[in-house]
Every structure is written in C-alpha cells, then in structure tokens.
Amino acid sequence: MAGNSKQIVSNQPSVHEHLAGKVNRHLSHPFKKPVAEHTLGVFRQLNEQVQQWQGPVILDACCGVGESTKVLAACYPDSLVVGIDKSACRIDKGLQQAGDGHYVLARADLNDLWRLVWAANWPLSRQFILYPNPWPKAEHLGRRWHGAGVFPYILAAGGVLTVRSNWHIYIEEIAQAMTIAGLAAKPAPYPTAAAVEPMTPFERKYWQSGHDSTQVEVDLAGYQAPQWLQDSRSWLQTVVAKN
C-alpha cells in the first residue's frame, strides 16, 4: 500500500452526542442476534485448537491479511494467536502468505465469534483491534465496535484490550464507552514509524501518508458483566453443542 491515504472526513466533529445512551442500552439489554452457521462452524474448529493449546490465547480482531497476527505471534511466543477478519479475500491472501508459527487465520463474523469465545471461556490474555473500519458518519455509530450490541461481550471476553486507530474520535469514544462500563480508560498517542515498525498494511499506509495514531489499552479484568450476559452463556453453549 502506497502512502496516499486521505485523512478521515466525518460530519461528526467530536465524540458522538448519543454515545452514552447507545452504550448504556447495550450494557442493559441482551444481544439476541442469531449466530450465523458459517461462523459457528469456524468457531468449532478454532475451539478445538484452543482447547488443545496449553497456554494463553490472543485474539487479533479485524486482522485483515494477518500481518499483525504474525507479528503478535513473534512478540508473544508462549501464546496461540487467532486472527479473525470478515473479508474472505483478505483472509485467503493471508493464508497464502502464512508461514510457520503458533497462529491461525480464519474468516468469521466477529459479532458472533466474540460471543462464542466468551461462552467457551477462552483463556484470552490479550485482544487487539487494530485500525477497525471507523464508520465515520455520525449515523453509523452503531456499526463501531463500542456502539454495537456485541460490545459487552468484547469486555467480558477478558485479557488486555488494545484498540488503535488513525481517527482520534474513535479512540476517544471507545475509551468513554469503557469508562461507562466501569473501566479506567485513557487514550494516548501511539509512536509512528520513526519509533516502531508498523504492524499492519493499513498502519504502514497511514503513517506513510502522515497520519497520527492513537490507542487505548485497558485490562478488562475489572469488568463486571451484567446478569443478562451471564444468563446467555448456557444458550450460546447449547448453540455450539448442536449438531
């Protein structure tokens, strides 16, 4: 990717005015979206690998072609790194370029997979969401991870969550969403190519285009999951167990 990426343009000049209401609604009400059969099948295969793995697991969400997944596997040699993306094209490309290592790439809908991961008690030590689609239009707040129904499950899945973006507002919003959920979260600038190597093709492209990166990193151990979420575990486990 060449360094020709335009700065993010939005009709939203700051944190969304309805962020708190959206987050509180998702924290208070069950997320009842049916689990897609494709993601269910992928999860069953991944779960077998995770259950056989003797050690911590890292989830690399929105991994694209899996470059970050391979980097994380090198950075955390005691961990199994699972890279997930919804794009078949990107995952197929990543699989073609895959090498040896304790990581796996798969295509799945994270709105479903995060719930299944939580229900199966994966031993997540870390979660990464690196440069997710920002959905910068104000009317698309519900498509951002902190504005989606799966947000409570992301927090409940555990580990240290790192989210990085070249749109500062996105990180401000997810930090505020975590604060609403009872976690201490504070955005911070992330060093650019002068100090560290880029972890993803998009990160490389953004930095070559002069963009700054911001991230938030939070230990999710202190999250108190609502009772409705706890009650959904048995339903999700039943979904996985069905033939």
Side-chain angles (χ1 to χ4, degrees):
M1 290 185 175
N4 59 355
S5 182
K6 297 180 180 179
Q7 293 286 345
I8 294 175
V9 176
S10 174
N11 58 346
Q12 185 186 315
S14 59
V15 170
H16 201 289
E17 61 180 333
H18 298 308
L19 175 69
K22 176 78 74 174
V23 172
N24 279 315
R25 187 157 58 251
H26 289 319
L27 292 173
S28 302
H29 297 89
F31 183 39
K32 297 182 178 181
K33 175 183 176 292
V35 176
E37 285 297 324
H38 173 267
T39 295
L40 183 57
V42 170
F43 172 77
R44 286 170 174 156
Q45 296 178 31
L46 292 173
N47 195 45
E48 288 186 13
Q49 294 178 263
V50 168
Q51 299 307 323
Q52 294 173 10
W53 178 260
Q54 300 298 313
V57 177
I58 294 173
L59 179 62
D60 184 17
C62 312
C63 71
V65 297
E67 182 176 332
S68 56
T69 311
K70 287 182 274 189
V71 170
L72 291 169
C75 292
Y76 300 95
D78 64 334
S79 301
L80 173 66
V81 186
V82 180
I84 302 294
D85 199 272
K86 68 178 182 180
S87 168
C89 180
R90 289 176 182 164
I91 286 296
D92 287 346
K93 183 177 180 180
L95 289 172
Q96 292 169 12
Q97 300 172 347
D100 297 331
H102 43 95
Y103 68 90
V104 58
L105 303 176
R107 174 178 171 257
D109 184 344
L110 282 158
N111 287 286
D112 297 338
L113 192 93
W114 253 309
R115 292 184 286 165
L116 299 173
V117 164
W118 169 78
N121 290 307
W122 281 17
L124 291 183
S125 60
R126 289 183 174 272
Q127 300 186 63
F128 287 85
I129 310 176
L130 303 178
Y131 301 93
N133 188 331
W135 292 106
K137 293 183 179 180
E139 58 267 32
H140 291 159
L141 171 62
R143 299 185 186 183
R144 301 169 198 164
W145 289 122
H146 46 278
V150 75
F151 183 62
Y153 290 91
I154 298 175
L155 304 183
V160 175
L161 174 61
T162 300
V163 187
R164 194 180 307 154
S165 177
N166 61 324
W167 191 35
H168 182 70
I169 291 175
Y170 192 101
I171 301 301
E172 287 280 0
E173 285 189 349
I174 199 165
Q176 287 196 25
M178 292 177 184
T179 300
I180 292 169
L183 297 163
K186 186 177 181 180
Y190 186 76
T192 54
V196 297
E197 289 293 323
M199 290 180 63
T200 80
F202 279 109
E203 186 163 73
R204 185 175 297 108
K205 179 180 180 179
Y206 295 148
W207 290 357
Q208 290 175 351
S209 302
H211 298 199
D212 294 324
S213 294
T214 309
Q215 80 170 20
V216 61
E217 189 168 84
V218 176
D219 188 341
L220 301 176
Y223 177 59
Q224 299 296 317
Q227 187 58 49
W228 67 259
L229 190 147
Q230 300 288 2
D231 293 341
S232 71
R233 189 187 296 275
S234 59
W235 169 71
L236 288 166
Q237 290 174 340
T238 298
V239 169
V240 174
K242 286 183 178 178
N243 293 326

